[in-house]
């Protein structure tokens, strides 16, 4: 496998994981050094691929001894640059992908233990085969790993039903910056013996520990799905009916909104036919998931809510799985249609439910005041108040519009990052919605667990002033 | 209200909350200085009753300046001595009970913001009046406060359906040891901007912060309840059927087990008639909760599971609410019946589901080997693997049996505290199930957020060796 590296750290790492799992060849490193959008990239000293908790611990210890930063990386599906080397600095990328074991599903309790590097899709397959399912689903399911999903407290399209990743974690095992191992798996659902590591590490984005194993609570597998696309005169009607559906339909799995402009982009890009005879300003995609015996009742209930609302202009209901996929395509293909039209500025925000309509009314003016020719495309998880704000026609290096939109969000008591995290992308904006006391306390915890700043430096927390 | 206290700290506290809310009279202090069992008690310099977050912050700051410990206290319903002054030391009890506002329920999203001192029962009332409910229920609902329930990550009888307190917290506001305020309410369900304070504080037992407000996610109110009591030949059958019910009955709300000896104690103490014509070794209490339209189907499903099992010896099904209360009494009155028989040693443990039966078979031998005449009464939340171990006939000051039982639990990969917490009662045993690295890291977080040890010293973490 080539000559032994002369660098003492690389030699130590080779001793821990084997030379074949210490990638120094630029061609092999490349896929780990850049995020999938190509926006964030840096140079790694090496990419190390441990296969056990003990190896992770030894790798972290070796890097700490050499005072070389460790950048934990799962499936590298992040959107905020939190899992790749920072430009202008270096470090060792610790890839968790070989920690990919998926244990036997406990069919009585609906639980599974898996390595932090197990892709969500593999865990979903194992769960479904055993009559269960994973409560969180992401478009990046074949790459996104459990560890990364805990570290970012992942969201996705089923949050309206099941909540975020943290809600499903019974326990984790993780390696701290000093190489010590905390937490335990399997864990117990009832264990009131102090701080829970899953609670501390959710949202920490690799800055406090490298998660090595995850003990996950599953949800019941539901085999009957119903999908409908509904057209409205305005977004106010979408928001109103979304609130009502959320309060009355226990079977609700997803509640997604998009607008005429985004639909036009999707149709131009994909050649898909119009979902309805006419065009309408706003659309709501609804998915229900139930047991087979409840399916008819829940779809009737959905129909009766829609019937009562005067704002509904047209409704398309999927007849089968292929029809459901066709309706979902109008929502799911927004991202690629927008990317095909230019280099978008992408912001991922949450508004309080009662200010969602006001936000969609104000954000066009905020953007136009800075760049009158910019094109704004909004879509998102309306059930959670989570809007993905896309702006086309801007200078890629000018963040003036981004800042203005995030400031608007903060002034309306929203979140500047609904589900993508902070990473390096938004750490300067963190203070828009977290107080100085909050940031100081987060920094104190970081310093307590990682005094030398070994784990993922430059991510999440702004540089001290 | 009497003369101003000469003590500068007391004077400062009176300036913050008003003299009437600084209790120094021993008769007024008494109810805050002793837990409800009378087992844990100490002497407070004063009991301070702030009515706002700003007052809490000022109280904590004044105590920190005077180097006087602060003992946060909610409803004082704890069982491990974590909310009352320690014997041999002193401090100021900070009672959160005046932070008892309950905001308007958001009927669309099912959310409510309440003060940390709001009793669970008041929040339940508000939620139910709005068509929702709280996912956690406790027998101490009229006293237990939301803040204490977050700080201990409370469990209770509905964990099998809804999980523990942390699962229901959207956000918290809390005051740190330096008097700074972190977190925010109202919070957002999707907010990926770093560490979540609810996650850090759940299980911290008042050692990291004083929680001042809680933003709670509610669950759907279910109006149809069904209760059945089932008798079995042995506990192995109870555990087996409990696992099957948990996997197949989405309507399951509670799954409680008890034994012949405990039932005999309850009947002796209460005079209740026997639930069945014959006595049986083990009993399972099942409660279902559904919408009215699902009630018949779910009770039929329960009946069909029971019919299939050869271990079932007798079944009593409640006909109405009064009947449900009668069946619940056999389980709920265990605690008072045991207390009436002597001073029990009480241990609250969790076992992995697949070792629950083995534990119930081994624990009598563990106890008898030390004290052959002791009486062992077991009952608990079998759906969660949570067993309450009660031992009668022991010297109240001799913890030999307690240690032996907890060691057995630890050797079987269980938890030494399922839902009561560590407090001062079990901090010396914490190392039985948490590693040195775990405890060191918890201590590092404690030191980071409270370097002077102002908040609840002596609780949770063992003294450094």
């Amino acid at each position: 496998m080539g000559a032994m590296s002369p660098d003492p750290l690389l030699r130590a790492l080779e001793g821990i994981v084997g030379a074949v799992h210490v990638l120094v060849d630029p061609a092999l490193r490349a896929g780990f050094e850049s995020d999938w959008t190509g926006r964030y990239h840096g140079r790694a000293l090496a990419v190390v691929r441990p296969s056990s908790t003990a190896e992770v611990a030894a790798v972290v210890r070796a890097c700490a001894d050499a005072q070389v930063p460790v950048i934990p990386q799962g499936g590298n599906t992040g959107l905020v640059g939190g899992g790749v080397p920072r430009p202008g600095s270096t470090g060792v990328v610790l890839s968790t992908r070989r920690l990919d074991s998926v244990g036997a599903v406990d069919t009585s309790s609906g639980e599974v233990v898996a390595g932090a590097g197990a892709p969500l899709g593999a865990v979903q397959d194992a769960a479904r085969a055993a009559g269960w399912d994973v409560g969180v689903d992401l478009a990046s399911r074949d790459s996104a790993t459990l560890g990364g999903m805990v570290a970012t407290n992942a969201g996705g399209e089923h949050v309206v039903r099941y909540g975020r990743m943290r809600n499903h974690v019974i326990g984790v095992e993780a390696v701290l910056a000093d190489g010590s191992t905390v937490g335990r798996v399997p864990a117990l659902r009832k264990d009131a013996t102090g701080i829970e590591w899953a609670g501390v590490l959710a949202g920490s984005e690799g800055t406090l520990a490298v998660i090595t194993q995850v003990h996950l609570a599953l949800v019941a597998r539901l085999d009957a799905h119903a999908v409908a696309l509904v057209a409205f005169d305005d977004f106010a009607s979408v928001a109103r009916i979304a609130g009502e559906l959320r309060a009355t339909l226990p079977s609700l799995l997803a509640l997604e909104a998009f607008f005429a402009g985004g639909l036009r982009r999707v149709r131009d890009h994909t050649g898909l036919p119009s979902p309805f005879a006419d065009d309408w300003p706003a659309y709501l995609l609804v998915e229900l998931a139930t047991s087979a015996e409840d399916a008819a009742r829940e779809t009737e209930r959905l129909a009766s809510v829609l019937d009562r609302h005067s704002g509904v202009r047209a409704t398309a209901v999927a007849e089968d799985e292929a029809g459901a996929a066709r309706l979902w395509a109008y929502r799911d293909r927004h991202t690629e249609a927008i990317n095909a039209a230019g280099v978008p500025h992408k912001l991922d925000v949450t508004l309080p439910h009662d200010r969602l309509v006001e936000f969609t009314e104000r954000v066009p003016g905020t953007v136009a005041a800075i760049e009158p020719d910019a094109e704004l495309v909004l879509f998102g998880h309306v059930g959670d108040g989570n809007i993905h704000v896309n702006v086309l026609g801007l200078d890629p290096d000018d963040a003036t519009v981004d800042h203005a939109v995030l400031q608007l969000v903060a002034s309306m008591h929203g979140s500047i990052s609904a589900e993508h995290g902070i990473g390096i992308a938004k750490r300067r904006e963190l203070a828009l919605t977290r107080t100085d006391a909050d940031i100081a306390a987060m920094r104190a915890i970081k310093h307590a667990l990682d005094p030398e700043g070994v784990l993922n430096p430059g991510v999440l927390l702004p540089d001290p002033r």
Side-chain angles (χ1 to χ4, degrees), chain A:
Chain A
M1 297 304 303
M4 202 68 152
S5 161
D7 184 307
L9 173 60
L10 294 183
R11 212 174 310 141
L13 296 174
E14 288 170 356
I16 296 163
V17 299
V20 71
H21 297 302
V22 180
L23 313 181
V24 289
D25 181 329
L28 297 180
R29 288 191 335 243
F32 299 84
E33 290 180 328
S34 178
D35 78 335
W36 68 272
T37 70
R39 186 167 171 201
Y40 299 101
H41 43 80
R43 195 190 157 293
L45 207 61
V47 176
V48 187
R49 306 174 71 235
S51 67
S52 68
T53 301
E55 287 185 6
V56 171
V59 166
V60 170
R61 215 174 287 118
C63 290
D65 288 347
Q67 294 185 290
V68 169
V70 173
I71 299 140
Q73 186 183 96
N76 196 12
T77 59
L79 287 163
V80 290
V84 292
R86 268 95 258 176
S89 77
T90 190
V92 165
V93 170
L94 189 163
S95 168
T96 61
R97 284 194 222 171
R98 289 179 69 220
L99 304 168
D100 62 353
S101 68
V102 179
V105 173
D106 182 328
T107 53
S108 155
S109 59
E111 298 175 11
V112 66
V113 171
L120 170 60
V123 182
Q124 288 173 326
D125 289 347
R128 288 172 190 160
W132 294 85
D133 206 340
V134 180
V136 177
D137 193 24
L138 304 173
S140 55
R141 63 186 71 81
D142 294 329
S143 304
T145 59
L146 290 194
M149 291 172 67
V150 175
T152 57
N153 201 359
E157 280 159 359
H158 298 167
V159 171
V160 69
R161 172 78 160 262
Y162 296 118
R164 293 157 73 197
M165 188 66 176
R166 170 68 190 98
N167 274 21
H168 304 280
V169 180
I170 300 172
V172 295
E173 178 195 71
V175 170
L176 300 180
D178 65 358
S180 65
T181 301
V182 296
R184 63 182 269 204
V185 295
L188 298 160
R189 284 184 195 242
K190 279 175 96 170
D191 184 14
T193 56
I195 294 175
E196 296 189 318
W197 290 112
V200 175
L201 299 183
S204 68
E205 301 187 9
T207 63
L208 300 182
V210 182
I211 296 168
T212 49
Q213 289 196 79
V214 178
H215 184 178
L216 204 60
L218 303 172
V219 298
R221 188 183 73 194
L222 299 167
D223 293 325
H225 289 247
V227 174
L229 181 64
V230 192
F232 293 85
D233 268 337
D234 53 30
F235 182 69
S237 298
V238 171
R240 195 165 51 242
I241 210 164
E244 189 174 334
L245 292 174
R246 203 170 53 165
T248 56
L249 275 181
S251 62
L252 203 61
L253 186 66
L255 208 45
E256 302 286 313
F258 53 89
F259 293 83
L263 178 60
R264 201 160 42 237
R265 280 277 173 212
V266 168
R267 293 192 49 218
D268 287 351
H269 175 65
T270 61
L272 287 171
S274 177
F276 301 109
D278 297 300
D279 289 340
W280 300 101
Y283 300 87
L284 180 65
L285 185 91
V286 184
E287 178 163 3
L288 310 182
T290 64
S291 60
E293 59 193 333
D294 285 339
R297 186 181 78 196
E298 286 289 300
T299 51
E300 276 163 34
R301 201 180 270 176
L302 170 62
S304 96
V305 173
L306 296 178
D307 282 350
R308 269 206 311 281
H309 273 264
S310 57
V312 174
R313 286 290 161 260
T315 303
V317 178
E319 308 269 318
D320 51 24
E321 229 173 285
R326 273 194 298 275
L327 294 182
W328 262 107
Y330 294 113
R331 160 66 181 83
D332 270 350
R333 300 190 73 176
H334 265 66
T335 300
E336 62 177 278
I338 292 164
N339 285 355
V343 178
H345 286 224
K346 296 176 84 73
L347 301 162
D348 159 48
V349 304
T350 304
L351 278 301
H353 195 73
D354 59 3
R355 304 199 71 176
L356 209 43
V357 175
E358 181 191 347
F359 176 74
T360 61
E361 289 166 355
R362 286 175 66 181
V363 70
T366 302
V367 173
I370 298 164
E371 184 49 66
D373 297 329
E375 178 185 342
L376 185 65
V377 184
L378 305 179
F379 61 93
H381 316 297
V382 67
D384 316 312
N386 179 184
I387 299 285
H388 295 300
V389 178
N390 294 263
V391 193
L392 285 161
L394 299 178
D395 177 344
D397 296 324
D398 184 348
T400 315
V401 166
D402 308 51
H403 285 302
V405 172
L406 295 182
Q407 257 158 353
L408 175 65
V409 168
S411 76
M412 297 174 73
H413 306 291
S415 168
I416 61 161
S417 183
E419 57 181 3
H420 295 170
I422 297 297
I424 63 169
K426 290 182 180 170
R427 68 195 189 107
R428 272 176 298 272
E429 282 90 5
L430 189 63
L432 282 176
T433 55
R434 299 204 69 158
T435 62
D436 289 350
D438 248 48
I439 293 171
M442 280 200 270
R443 205 188 294 287
I445 292 176
K446 164 70 175 173
H447 187 74
L449 296 182
D450 182 13
E452 306 295 329
V454 173
L455 292 176
N456 231 6
V459 161
L460 183 51
L461 292 169
D463 292 327
R465 277 172 299 194

